[in-house]
Amino acid sequence: MVGIRSYGAPEPAALDALETLHLRSLDVLAGFETMVERAEPAFRPTAERFRDLHRVQSDELAEMIARFGREPESKGSLMSTVNRAVVSLRSLVNGVDGNIIDQIQDGEQHVVTAFDDALGEGQPIDVTARLRSMRRELCLLLFETQAATATGR
């Protein structure tokens, strides 16, 4: 693991990890955009919270990447298309409601892992601080969603 760097540009591996995190964030955002469109009314606010968080975080990650001189991805990877398709198919078969929480938790773990990878690559201090905060925001939303599901709300 590389130590935390001072303000400035990250090493290439750290920037690569930041780009991977951004790509994963875009990919899950695509799924949540479709999920919001197809969600049952009772579940829509939960899907909207995830969509909104990923939209804000994706935009912020894109700004970080651009600040360091690289062109951020704008559409996501093939997984964006896969995520949209999976949500669409699920809506036809089972509906999109609170029963999808386990799949959301599994999918979000890929984003949390990408945060961990990006944090482990020696980002500049300001980037490290913001990535930690963004990771906490996502983990808190995951926890709140899981807790609400467990209590039947």
Side-chain angles (χ1 to χ4, degrees):
M1 179 170 115
V2 178
I4 296 175
R5 295 170 47 91
S6 62
Y7 293 90
E11 295 292 328
L15 190 48
D16 290 346
L18 198 60
E19 287 178 318
T20 297
L21 170 59
H22 179 240
L23 194 59
R24 287 194 184 162
S25 187
L26 287 173
D27 290 344
V28 296
L29 172 59
F32 282 111
E33 287 173 339
T34 301
M35 193 177 296
V36 166
E37 294 170 9
R38 297 174 180 264
E40 300 295 326
F43 186 71
R44 186 167 288 123
T46 299
E48 288 171 340
R49 287 182 69 197
F50 278 98
R51 179 204 58 201
D52 294 348
L53 178 66
H54 283 296
R55 184 176 290 149
V56 167
Q57 290 187 349
S58 293
D59 289 348
E60 190 168 351
L61 291 166
E63 289 172 12
M64 288 179 194
I65 291 165
R67 182 177 104 196
F68 298 127
R70 289 197 187 169
E71 183 69 29
E73 179 62 48
S74 62
K75 299 193 190 298
S77 71
L78 176 61
M79 283 306 297
S80 291
T81 303
V82 170
N83 288 341
R84 284 187 191 99
V86 167
V87 171
S88 293
L89 287 172
R90 178 173 172 100
S91 72
L92 294 173
V93 176
N94 295 326
V96 178
D97 57 19
N99 293 325
I100 199 170
I101 295 298
D102 288 340
Q103 289 85 3
I104 289 173
Q105 295 277 340
D106 290 343
E108 293 291 353
Q109 188 55 51
H110 295 288
V111 180
V112 172
T113 299
F115 270 112
D116 294 340
D117 292 346
L119 285 163
E121 285 295 336
Q123 302 291 342
I125 292 170
D126 59 327
V127 173
T128 296
R130 186 60 192 128
L131 291 179
R132 284 183 179 152
S133 177
M134 292 167 76
R135 184 187 186 283
R136 259 190 314 273
E137 291 167 354
L138 176 57
C139 289
L140 180 60
L141 180 54
L142 288 166
F143 176 77
E144 289 171 353
T145 303
Q146 191 69 32
T149 301
T151 60
R153 292 188 295 161

